[in-house]
Amino acid sequence: MGMTGNHKDTSITRRRALAVTGGTVTAGTLGWAGYRSAFAADATTTTEATATASATSAGSACMTLMSSVTEGPYYLDGALVRKDITDGKSGVPLTLRLTVVDATDGCTPVPGAAVEIWHCDAWGYYSGYTTANPGGSAPAESEDGSTADDTTYLRGHQIANANGVVKFETIFPGWYTPRTCHIHLKVHTGGEKGGKVNYTGQLFFADEIAEEIFTLEPYAKHSGTYTELADDMVYDGGGASSGLLTLKAVHKSDPSKGYKGSLTLGVDPDAENTGAGSGGGGAGGTPPSGAPTGTPPSGGAAPSATASS
């Protein structure tokens, strides 16, 4: 069901941004569908980098190498510092708990790291770009009846506590063609959000959970072909090491009550990866209507000329 264009295999750099999965360190190439979009004119350019990590003590698995991927065309600078990023958008509740650790120092917590996330609403729309067609058949973003600020909803960042933990209250993201359900994130160190970007990536959701959520309201009003994980052009099948969240239902028999999602991100505080331009890696895909046409908030960054969704 994945919607792919011209297939083109390339080597996507395994960056020094890592995730805890209880596995060993691996490095290699990642094949992706070269879905050339208006944002990815030179997305095939990659930068070579070396990534290393080592286990801590016996029985304490540390890191599996995780690749940084593109930030996408929907990034806006200046996300608000806040835990609840819903802005009144309706959807299935999602509590996100992310832990930032230093992969170069025994997986110790990174207090003070800034974690920034952004994602689409239940029908596939992003704040700041609300006229971009999510594909399939969906009501206009303005028809959802919410009072959400259409320049800030479902965007925000938090500063990690002494244990390296940040928490967000949001909703389960919807989907848009040709992508699977996902959340974008950046990890910054050295001066809160204004510091160095160590990791740019995406968080993913198990198909069976996402597809059950999408039968509920308001998600069900968006119909069409949903791209499963195996067909997504960014997710590389590596499980947690590729950003797959651990999800736990708040109520076992009622998914509408929400989920708790978690993942541990190991970063190299000395590394830098913005996910934009030639260093991004990973194709994304253009919304069916072409380039996003919404007006970014005042002072917001326009999509990178080479980024993908």
Side-chain angles (χ1 to χ4, degrees):
M1 285 191 294
M3 301 182 62
T4 58
N6 298 321
H7 288 268
K8 186 170 184 178
D9 289 334
T10 187
S11 172
I12 184 170
T13 302
R14 293 292 196 166
R15 300 246 175 216
R16 299 182 69 180
L18 317 163
V20 170
T21 63
T24 57
V25 179
T26 60
T29 60
L30 169 64
W32 50 268
Y35 199 99
R36 285 180 173 263
S37 72
F39 309 106
D42 57 359
T44 56
T45 303
T46 59
T47 304
E48 294 303 317
T50 302
T52 59
S54 58
T56 50
S57 58
S60 177
C62 186
M63 298 299 162
T64 296
L65 192 60
M66 184 176 181
S67 55
S68 285
V69 297
T70 179
E71 74 177 22
Y74 297 109
Y75 178 70
L76 293 176
D77 199 9
L80 301 173
V81 180
R82 56 184 182 171
K83 179 181 178 181
D84 187 333
I85 66 171
T86 56
D87 260 349
K89 274 288 182 178
S90 60
V92 170
L94 174 66
T95 299
L96 196 60
R97 185 182 190 273
L98 303 172
T99 306
V100 184
V101 298
D102 184 346
T104 69
D105 187 27
C107 304
T108 53
V110 185
V115 179
E116 181 180 10
I117 68 170
W118 67 102
H119 64 83
C120 67
D121 70 2
W123 295 342
Y125 295 103
Y126 282 85
S127 58
Y129 303 98
T130 56
T131 59
N133 188 337
S137 177
E141 188 271 347
S142 59
E143 294 179 34
D144 71 351
S146 77
T147 58
D149 185 329
D150 65 10
T151 65
T152 62
Y153 66 73
L154 307 179
R155 299 178 183 272
H157 78 274
Q158 284 281 280
I159 307 301
N161 65 17
N163 297 316
V165 174
V166 294
K167 292 182 179 180
F168 291 95
E169 298 294 338
T170 185
I171 61 169
F172 208 98
W175 60 274
Y176 57 94
T177 305
R179 294 299 316 283
T180 193
C181 180
H182 64 283
I183 292 175
H184 294 268
L185 82 157
K186 287 179 181 284
V187 177
H188 311 245
T189 56
E192 298 187 351
K193 184 174 172 291
K196 181 185 297 183
V197 177
N198 300 130
Y199 174 65
T200 299
Q202 297 181 24
L203 306 175
F204 298 95
F205 300 81
D207 290 325
E208 61 269 23
I209 294 176
E211 290 170 1
E212 183 174 30
I213 293 293
F214 297 155
T215 66
L216 307 175
E217 293 299 329
Y219 302 88
K221 288 187 172 66
H222 184 193
S223 62
T225 302
Y226 171 65
T227 302
E228 294 186 339
L229 283 171
D231 298 317
D232 188 66
M233 53 191 63
V234 174
Y235 180 69
D236 70 353
S241 65
S242 298
L244 187 65
L245 289 165
T246 296
L247 294 170
K248 183 178 181 180
V250 172
H251 191 288
K252 183 181 294 186
S253 61
D254 187 357
S256 70
K257 298 296 184 183
Y259 280 84
K260 294 180 179 180
S262 61
L263 190 67
T264 299
L265 300 171
V267 303
D268 175 356
D270 295 325
E272 184 165 15
N273 185 288
T274 64
S278 61
T286 312
S289 60
T293 55
T295 303
S298 177
S304 164
T306 57
S308 304
S309 56

